[in-house]
Amino acid sequence: MSMKITTDNVAKVLASIQELASKQVLAGIPASTADRDDGSPLNNAQIGYIQNYGSPAQNIPGRDFMESGIELVQESINDHLKKAATAAVNGNSEKVDVELNATGLVAQAGLRARINSGDFAPLSKRTLAARRRRGRTGIKPLIDKGELRNSLTYVIRKKD
């Protein structure tokens, strides 16, 4: 004769699924931590927006690093989100958190990698001259001191 022990994990599974459904992973530059070290009137979130989409009024071409940075790592992001969903269905909320953090780290790395790749519209002669006046010799768009790139991060928060 065999004995079978059944455990009711429905409440745990439902709680884990609800927890996953209530969270979102956001990658980019949180405005709350976007201040610059140089006292600029614009913060990194504002500068990132202008650099990503451009500003015709300021003759700044769009240099898409946000969407294209995510596209670089989309497959890996999808894999981690699938693992988070599987963990939720199994009632493993700790694994859900691990996979959401892994998703954020992958997204952050994709954004930074896109900036580092540097295949954007070249800097104008005026911008290059301004850099030289400040003692900078780099010609790579989006990278001067690295503040914008280094401000790219991720957050996990409750959905609104």
Side-chain angles (χ1 to χ4, degrees), residues 85-103:
T86 299
V89 168
N90 291 328
N92 188 344
S93 60
E94 289 146 11
K95 178 75 170 164
V96 168
D97 288 340
V98 167
E99 292 303 332
L100 291 178
N101 277 291
T103 300

Side-chain angles (χ1 to χ4, degrees), residues 2 28-29 76 105 123 126:
S2 65
I29 308 165
S76 183
L105 287 170
L123 296 173
R126 186 174 146 218

Side-chain angles (χ1 to χ4, degrees), residues 99-149:
E99 292 303 332
L100 291 178
N101 277 291
T103 300
L105 287 170
V106 167
Q108 173 184 311
L111 296 174
R112 290 180 178 186
R114 181 67 180 114
I115 284 182
N116 288 338
S117 71
D119 53 343
F120 301 108
L123 296 173
S124 70
K125 291 178 183 178
R126 186 174 146 218
T127 299
L128 292 170
R131 280 189 178 187
R132 283 191 298 276
R133 283 191 301 276
R134 289 182 287 120
R136 302 267 183 220
T137 58
I139 62 168
K140 205 174 223 186
L142 303 181
I143 300 176
D144 186 9
K145 296 186 292 182
E147 281 189 65
L148 176 64
R149 179 192 54 217

Side-chain angles (χ1 to χ4, degrees), residues 58-73:
Q58 298 294 318
N59 289 326
I60 298 172
R63 295 181 171 102
D64 172 34
F65 64 93
M66 296 294 286
E67 290 86 0
S68 63
I70 295 298
E71 286 173 10
L72 284 176
V73 293

Side-chain angles (χ1 to χ4, degrees), residues 3 79 103 109 131 160:
M3 183 183 341
D79 289 342
T103 300
R131 280 189 178 187
D160 295 335

